[in-house]
Amino acid sequence: MILAQTTLLADSGKSSFVRDVMPVFSRGGCNSGGCHGHREGKGGLKLSLWGESPSRDYKELLNSRKRVNAKDLLASHLLLKPTLQSDHKGGKRFETASREYAVLRRWLEEGAVDDTASGPKLESLVVTPEFRILTEPERELQLKVEATYSDGDQRDVTYWSVYSLSNLVAEVSKEGLVQFLKPGETTVIVRYLDQRVTTRLT
């Protein structure tokens, strides 16, 4: 199999490095400051912090035949290391039966195309609700995050977003479920690709 580095058409239905692969790195924490997003990288791989430079990350991944193994895709470190099928000091990031693994595998099988310059760009990110007051006995709330791209594509990216809280009155899951631990107010910071939005919950 020859790795194609051609333009990925928005209506081709094929995988996108920016729209599909980059969110996997963010959700898995791979491009965080404590992992490969560190200024010096980790384990010989240096990704841009929180995915600020998809083009640089693409080149970094493709400069090693082990990370993307064109002769044996399933032997690519991109698949083996985060699933702990190969030694990985960062630990297991997801399972082989996960959505993350499926996204990476499909992108590889379709030629590991680079669409960082030609593909649609993220134009807006919206989280709902933007504000909510919960009343006892209600203590939890599921957030929904939607992304709109320059080609008009709209996607529910709740699963692929990264969440953090302004304080410890509540906790939030990787799937965007907020659960209050005690009365109070908190702000949820939602990050997807290069954009951030917030919601205030009381």
Side-chain angles (χ1 to χ4, degrees):
M1 176 181 177
I2 299 176
L3 294 177
Q5 298 189 39
T6 57
T7 300
L8 181 64
L9 300 178
D11 59 355
S12 67
K14 291 186 178 181
S15 299
S16 162
F17 181 76
V18 176
R19 282 194 284 192
D20 300 319
V21 176
M22 291 294 290
V24 172
F25 297 153
S26 294
R27 191 174 197 276
C30 309
N31 54 20
S32 67
C35 198
H36 298 293
H38 188 274
R39 64 179 180 274
E40 297 179 358
K42 294 285 184 178
L45 174 62
K46 185 181 186 305
L47 297 175
S48 61
L49 183 62
W50 298 124
E52 61 187 16
S53 180
S55 59
R56 189 181 0 153
D57 291 347
Y58 179 87
K59 292 176 182 178
E60 179 73 6
L61 289 172
L62 269 291
N63 72 7
S64 168
R65 294 181 180 179
K66 291 184 177 180
R67 293 189 192 116
V68 175
N69 189 330
K71 295 182 179 180
D72 184 359
L73 293 178
L74 295 184
S76 299
H77 284 184
L78 187 62
L79 296 176
L80 297 182
K81 285 185 172 290
T83 54
L84 278 188
Q85 297 178 79
S86 179
D87 182 56
H88 184 220
K89 292 184 178 180
K92 180 177 284 188
R93 295 298 172 170
F94 45 81
E95 304 288 343
T96 55
S98 68
R99 294 170 67 177
E100 290 87 341
Y101 184 90
V103 165
L104 295 180
R105 178 172 176 171
R106 182 186 175 195
W107 178 69
L108 291 173
E109 290 175 340
E110 292 180 349
V113 175
D114 179 10
D115 67 334
T116 56
S118 59
K121 309 302 180 184
L122 177 62
E123 286 197 335
S124 66
L125 190 67
V126 176
V127 58
T128 53
E130 295 182 359
F131 171 76
R132 176 69 63 84
I133 297 177
L134 286 75
T135 305
E136 289 283 10
E138 188 180 20
R139 287 174 174 256
E140 65 180 40
L141 178 69
Q142 176 63 54
L143 301 177
K144 182 178 181 179
V145 188
E146 293 182 295
T148 301
Y149 295 86
S150 57
D151 63 349
D153 184 23
Q154 293 183 313
R155 295 188 179 188
D156 182 332
V157 294
T158 305
Y159 182 84
W160 300 108
S161 298
V162 178
Y163 306 89
S164 59
L165 296 168
S166 61
N167 55 41
L168 299 178
V169 302
E171 58 185 16
V172 60
S173 72
K174 294 184 68 174
E175 289 73 34
L177 178 65
V178 180
Q179 295 180 305
F180 273 86
L181 304 176
K182 56 184 177 180
E185 181 178 293
T186 189
T187 297
V188 185
I189 300 95
V190 184
R191 179 171 51 80
Y192 175 73
L193 296 180
D194 61 349
Q195 292 197 25
R196 295 183 183 185
V197 291
T198 62
T199 178
R200 186 160 54 94
L201 307 176
T202 302

